[in-house]
Amino acid sequence: MSTPPPPAGGTPNPYQQPYPYQPPKKRKIWPWIVGGIILLFVAVIGGCFAIVGSAVDSVDKESKREVTVVYRVTGTGSTSITWTDKDFNMAQDTNASLPWEKTVVVTGFAKHASLSVTNDEPDGATSKCEIVVDGQVKYTQTANGPFATASCSGSVG
């Protein structure tokens, strides 16, 4: 059975039942908290992927970057020369006459160059090794005397 509406403009009938009080519906807060946690989790994971992706891209670019290295030996007499090529393999030129020069393109993540020269003359020859990168002498050393050795090596990247 339904309750009749209150009279318009008059005093309500004291014998009628009052309208039942219905509090406003409470909104549940837990879905908002769970949604916020999920959103935060997705944002953190996305940020991590962005950072890792950027680092991987930088490493990839560095590993493919090429550096031109010039090995140069000057001096008197003949020498034995040992150097690293583009794949870090050792190469050698024995009884090389001076001046001597070799150009190598180095790639990879760890760009390293190495050059060693040994005087072959028993009468006190002099030789000088140089590693040149981008037109600048990066490493140099001199060997004086019979069978003396000079070694130049280091990072060229």
Side-chain angles (χ1 to χ4, degrees):
M1 174 165 176
S2 68
T3 308
T11 57
N13 184 351
Y15 301 109
Q16 264 186 340
Q17 282 186 341
Y19 289 102
Y21 173 74
Q22 293 184 353
K25 289 187 177 181
K26 287 187 177 181
R27 290 189 177 191
K28 294 180 182 174
I29 196 162
W30 69 267
W32 291 101
I33 293 173
V34 170
I37 291 171
I38 290 172
L39 183 62
L40 181 66
F41 181 73
V42 168
V44 167
I45 295 297
C48 288
F49 276 123
I51 290 170
V52 169
S54 174
V56 167
D57 186 48
S58 295
V59 168
D60 184 52
K61 284 180 183 176
E62 178 61 25
S63 71
K64 292 179 182 175
R65 185 174 64 89
E66 295 181 343
V67 175
T68 302
V69 176
V70 177
Y71 295 124
R72 186 179 299 146
V73 179
T74 56
T76 59
S78 65
T79 61
S80 294
I81 302 169
T82 305
W83 71 94
T84 54
D85 66 7
K86 66 178 184 171
D87 297 323
F88 296 110
N89 295 322
M90 299 299 288
Q92 189 170 21
D93 190 357
T94 56
N95 248 355
S97 48
L98 302 180
W100 179 93
E101 189 170 292
K102 180 82 170 173
T103 302
V104 176
V105 176
V106 179
T107 58
F109 187 67
K111 294 169 184 61
H112 186 83
S114 177
L115 173 64
S116 178
V117 57
T118 302
N119 294 332
D120 287 342
E121 302 291 325
D123 61 355
T126 299
S127 57
K128 178 180 176 183
C129 68
E130 293 179 333
I131 296 178
V132 181
V133 180
D134 295 330
Q136 302 277 333
V137 176
K138 187 131 179 166
Y139 303 100
T140 185
Q141 191 174 23
T142 303
N144 292 314
F147 307 107
T149 300
S151 293
C152 302
S153 67
S155 174
V156 294

